[in-house]
Structures are given as C-alpha cells and as structure tokens.
Amino acid sequence: MWLAGWLLALGPLSRSSAAASEAGLLEFSLGKFKNVLLNETIPAEAVLRNISSNVTVIIFQIHTHHQNVTISFNKKSSITNSGTGPDIGLVSILQPQQTVCTWYLQAVNANSVLSTAVPYSYTERDPIPGGCNLEFNLDIDPNIYLEYNMAETNIKFAPANLGHGRDAKPPICDSVTSQESRLRLRYDVYQYFLPENDLSETAFVSHMRKMSQVQNIRANGVKLMTLTSQDKTDLHFSSLPGQGVIYNVIVIDPQWNTSAAYVPVHTYACSPSALVDSCFTLRKLSTKIFFTILAVLGLFVCFFGHRFWKTDLFLMGFIVSAFCFFIAITRTSTLNYDVNLGLTAVVGIIGGLLLVAYWWRFGFVILCMFIVGLVLGFLVASTVFFTPLGNYKVFQDDVVFWVTFSCIALMVPIVFVGCPRVLNILTCGLIGSYTVVLATACYIYTSLSYIGIDLLRRILNDDFRRAYTSVPFQPNDLILLAVWAMLAIGGITVQLRRERREAPFPPHPYRLWKRERERRVTNILDPSHHVPPLRERIQSKLSQIKDFFQKEQPAGERTPLLF
C-alpha cells in the first residue's frame, strides 16, 4: 500500500507504462520523469524511441532518496559502461540514423528501490557535460561526485567538451586554441535547499525535478559561483546535517550561447537509513540538556543580568572557559562527544565560578568588562562572517581571516570602553537571547545556529577554510530571527530603563566586607561590636526554640479564696 501511495503521490503511471514496468520494459519520453520500482535480480530496460534527427546527445539520469542503483548501456554492467549511486546518469552519443536509445537499470543490494528517471536531449551546438573526463571511469561522465562529513561537503565533476554533429569527431580536449576548444566554456554552480525538517522521499523527488533541466535550475537554484576552464572542478561547501541540499552545474558555450546541465546530486550530510546517528537522531540528548540549561540561564541574564552582576559574570566565564576547553579537548583527545561535552560543562562551571571569585576578591571592573565585551565581540565577528562577506576568497587565507576576525572582536570592547554599563547590558541582551536560539536548534533545524558552529568548524577543521558557507533562510529561520531580535531588544530596553538611576556597577564586595569588619573592631559604641561568643549565641537560639514548644501557662487564680 505504501509503495502504491508513493507512486501515486509523485505522478501515477499510465496503464501501458505499468504493464511495461511489470514486463521489465520502461518506455520514456524526452524531459518526462517516470517513477520506477527497481529490484536487484532483474534489470529493467529503459527505452527512448522516435529520437529527432537534430538531437546528437541524450543524457539519461536516475535518482533515489538514499539507496544505490546501477545504470548501464548493457545488460551485463562493467566499470567502463555503467555508473552506480543514488544520483547517476549516462551520456549517449547518437550515431547517424539512430532513433532509439536503451539503458538498463538495476537496484544494488536491495529487493525494491523507488526511483525517478528522465532523459534529456541536446543538439550539436550544446556543450557535452563530462565530455573531457580524465579522472573517472566513464569515457564521458556527466555525473557530479559528492562526499561529505559533519563539517564539509565536497563535489567533483569532469570538464565538459564542445558539442558536435552525429557524423563528426569530438573536438580534442587538450587543444590550446581558446576560442575553438573547450577552454571557452564556463561553469555555473547552483545550489538548492530542500524544505527544512522534511526528509521524506516525496519532497526529495518533487524538488529534484526542479534542478535537472537548465531552465528549471536557473529559475529555482541559487548560483554560487562561475568557473572557467582554468579553475579546478573540485569544490567545497559547509555541511548542514539534516538539511537536504541539491547541487548542479550548468556548462555554457558563450560562442553559441548554448548550455547543458550535469546530473544533479543531493545530500543530507547524514544517512537517512543508518541505525545509529541517522538524520533523525542527530540531536543528541546530551546536547539538548546542555543547551537547554544554558538557555534558561541566558534568558535570565537577558532581562536581569546587570542587576544580578555575579550571575552575569558566571555566564560569561562559563562561555569563555567552555569554548576554549571544548576546542582543546576535541583537538587533543579521542574521547567521544558525550564525554567531551560533559567535561566541557564541568570546566565551564569552574571557569564561571573563578571569574565571580576574582570579582569578589579584586573587583577590577575593567578586566571583567573586557572579558564580557570580548564575548559580544566574538558573536559580532561570527555574524559578520556568517553573511556572504565570509565567502570572499581572500578569507580562505587563515592569516587574513583571523586578523580580520580579531579586529572585529576587539573593536567591541574598545568602542564601549567609556560606557561599561551599556556594554554589559548589550552583552546580556544579545548573548542571553542567542542561547535561546542555540537551544531551539537542538529540537528543530535552524540556520542561525551556524553563526557559532561555523566558527568552531574553522578552528577545529584545517580544511574548512576552503569551504563555501551557505545556509538556507526559510520560515523557521525568519521566525527564530524575529524571536531573537524581540528578546534582545526587550532585555536591553528593560535593563537600561531599570538601571538608569542606579550606580553603574555594584561596589566591590570584598572591600565592603573588610571595611565593615574594621568598623566593628574600632567602634566600641556600635552595638554590633558587642557580639556574644558563638557558644552563648547557640545556647540562646536553642532556648528560644525550646520555649516555642512549651505549653503556655494559663493566667489567673484557680484555687478558691479563704476567708
């Protein structure tokens, strides 16, 4: 039932198509997607008939949600005439008078795999994707090869070649004449984000169709960059675990103003089918507990941080020490994530308490405020590089990046050096409200969490500097951005109005305690100077408790008077 429902939802097959599918023969039309149920034992035969004489190239592509399938020119596939993967395609160079093309489709290590397939045609003036392949197994390879980890996604594709007629030889790939060779070709790289929190096959197939044809790619995708034939076709992007992304490349021939699309590829930067740490279990319980508690403390500091100065200092000390320790322990140890997070929480608590103790003992407001301002500075600098500004190639150089980042971060405490109360209230409002964003990201996907995550990735992963950082900005993010802004503005406004007639900061507690002690010792007229010894005070308290439980004696005479 669920298979039938899936097929009906994506576009029901006609009766003739259904009958052909059962017989192992699939009839296709140019540009028309067909939903196909494949198995491992019997390959399905895909046929395209009545091909026009002006068509010189057919690109046949097939896509699945996460399972591998094989597409081949022959029933018996080999490494040079087939391709295997969840997003795979083949290029058929047509011979003179050829009107029929055939491909063979088969599931890999599965009895039934739901897929969607489509053929596209191109003429002799259209460039041929992957026509100058020198790296992969196929002679002409239109596929985009994708690899990912939790931090980085890498795509590779073979260079294209110029188009040619059915009876003509393909242009030489290593020709040095720029205007008469593949060197004139350009490559536009596009990205398309699937809906947030939607990992379903139905959503995947419906959106994959938007990134398969040149016109649809330009209408729906976001162009990230344009490459020339001199650039490497090896690109890196930041991974977004749990968020579906589709990549595709359009190759353009500027002389003829023609173009062709590669086979699109998709990823969730996680495995939907894994039993452990799948796309549905990415948010660990330890992470939820850690950031939920942090958000409760941050929300309190957002509205009351300046008045409760020690709580404010504890949160800032916690953030600084936990951040530094997590980086150190992740780089130097092989402990698992839960242990690292637990140790980070312990060290963060110790760091927060030490900062409070330092304030209580020495009371140096300037140094404490520098730490507080530095926390806000790091958030501001991370936000700046979270914008498209961070994708400029100049910032791929670590020296340029860290010098710029440090200047932005240090600018915040320097600008507010003359008004530390305003700096502290701004930090309370912005940092406290951002902890709510991080806690929300533990339960639902939001791109705003990557303001801090991308900074950690840049520190922990040496190769992340080459990654293009791009994230979706969808309804969840708009709502959460509005919540963040309202909390920050509300917290800052409340604290500024409440504290405008108060002292800028509470007096130094250690000096107050020391001054009070000296006053009691020197001023014999002060009643607090004549404090009974501890033993007498304890006995007095015990006697008061004892008197409290004694029954009260009635007043008045109870015996009769004698006359």
Side-chain angles (χ1 to χ4, degrees), residues 36 38 103 192 334 358 360 392 514 541 558:
V36 182
L38 303 177
W103 304 272
Y192 179 84
T334 57
Y358 172 84
W360 194 91
Y392 283 101
K514 192 174 180 180
K541 292 293 182 183
R558 287 185 175 272

Side-chain angles (χ1 to χ4, degrees), residues 110-186:
N111 291 326
S112 60
V113 175
L114 296 169
S115 62
T116 184
V118 62
Y120 287 112
S121 64
Y122 296 97
T123 63
E124 60 180 298
R125 289 190 174 184
D126 296 324
I128 302 175
C132 287
N133 174 41
L134 299 175
E135 181 177 357
F136 308 109
N137 296 322
L138 295 170
D139 291 335
I140 301 176
D141 197 335
N143 298 293
I144 300 172
Y145 293 89
L146 183 146
E147 296 178 349
Y148 70 86
N149 55 39
M150 293 295 288
E152 189 178 15
T153 297
N154 169 230
I155 65 171
K156 299 179 182 179
F157 58 93
N161 200 359
L162 300 178
H164 57 86
R166 289 196 181 192
D167 54 353
K169 291 183 178 180
I172 301 174
C173 287
D174 56 359
S175 174
V176 296
T177 306
S178 60
Q179 293 302 317
E180 299 300 329
S181 71
R182 69 175 183 87
L183 298 181
R184 73 184 189 220
L185 299 178
R186 300 196 315 268

Side-chain angles (χ1 to χ4, degrees), residues 313-327:
L313 281 183
F314 173 81
L315 177 61
M316 301 308 159
F318 178 93
I319 292 173
V320 172
S321 54
F323 183 81
C324 296
F325 179 79
F326 184 80
I327 293 171

Side-chain angles (χ1 to χ4, degrees), residues 241-493:
Q243 170 62 49
V245 187
I246 301 174
Y247 296 99
N248 207 346
V249 177
I250 296 177
V251 55
I252 301 170
D253 187 341
Q255 180 170 319
W256 298 111
N257 195 26
T258 56
S259 57
Y262 282 71
V263 176
V265 64
H266 79 284
T267 181
Y268 295 95
C270 56
S271 174
S273 59
L275 298 177
V276 180
D277 291 340
S278 72
C279 292
F280 302 95
T281 60
L282 281 173
R283 301 174 180 92
K284 295 179 177 290
L285 179 61
S286 58
T287 306
K288 293 180 180 180
I289 294 173
F290 181 89
F291 284 103
T292 299
I293 295 175
L294 186 65
V296 173
L297 181 60
L299 194 60
F300 177 83
V301 168
C302 178
F303 289 90
F304 307 102
H306 191 74
R307 171 161 293 191
F308 295 89
W309 170 238
K310 294 178 184 178
T311 306
D312 177 15
L313 281 183
F314 173 81
L315 177 61
M316 301 308 159
F318 178 93
I319 292 173
V320 172
S321 54
F323 183 81
C324 296
F325 179 79
F326 184 80
I327 293 171
I329 195 173
T330 302
R331 273 193 167 274
T332 59
S333 74
T334 57
L335 299 174
N336 63 44
Y337 173 80
D338 291 334
V339 174
N340 282 357
L341 195 61
L343 293 174
T344 299
V346 173
V347 172
I349 292 172
I350 294 173
L353 293 175
L354 287 176
L355 186 60
V356 173
Y358 172 84
W359 155 254
W360 194 91
R361 181 65 180 83
F362 300 103
F364 292 154
V365 175
I366 295 178
L367 183 59
C368 292
M369 286 312 304
F370 178 78
I371 296 174
V372 171
L374 202 60
V375 174
L376 179 59
F378 264 66
L379 179 62
V380 172
S382 299
T383 305
V384 170
F385 283 100
F386 179 72
T387 65
L389 178 66
N391 288 319
Y392 283 101
K393 285 188 176 181
V394 66
F395 294 120
Q396 292 182 358
D397 186 287
D398 281 336
V399 175
V400 175
F401 176 84
W402 288 115
V403 168
T404 307
F405 186 94
S406 301
C407 290
I408 297 174
L410 290 172
M411 190 182 300
V412 174
I414 292 175
V415 168
F416 290 94
V417 67
C419 42
R421 174 165 61 181
V422 175
L423 173 61
N424 186 54
I425 292 176
L426 287 176
T427 304
C428 290
L430 292 172
I431 298 296
S433 56
Y434 186 64
T435 60
V436 178
V437 174
L438 292 177
T440 305
C442 296
Y443 300 92
I444 61 172
Y445 178 87
T446 173
S447 299
L448 296 178
S449 62
Y450 287 94
I451 294 175
I453 292 175
D454 282 349
L455 176 62
L456 276 175
R457 288 175 171 178
R458 185 71 186 246
I459 298 172
L460 295 175
N461 298 276
D462 295 332
D463 294 333
F464 191 73
R465 63 178 180 271
R466 63 190 179 182
Y468 187 95
T469 55
S470 178
V471 296
F473 209 67
Q474 298 182 16
N476 280 357
D477 306 304
L478 291 172
I479 294 171
L480 202 56
L481 180 62
V483 171
W484 183 16
M486 287 189 293
L487 286 176
I489 294 173
I492 293 170
T493 303

Side-chain angles (χ1 to χ4, degrees), residues 2 63-70 84-87 107-115 201 266 272-273:
W2 65 274
H63 305 278
T64 68
H65 190 226
H66 60 273
Q67 295 171 297
N68 288 339
V69 294
T70 296
T84 299
D87 302 294
V108 178
N109 299 325
N111 291 326
S112 60
V113 175
L114 296 169
S115 62
E201 288 180 301
H266 79 284
S273 59

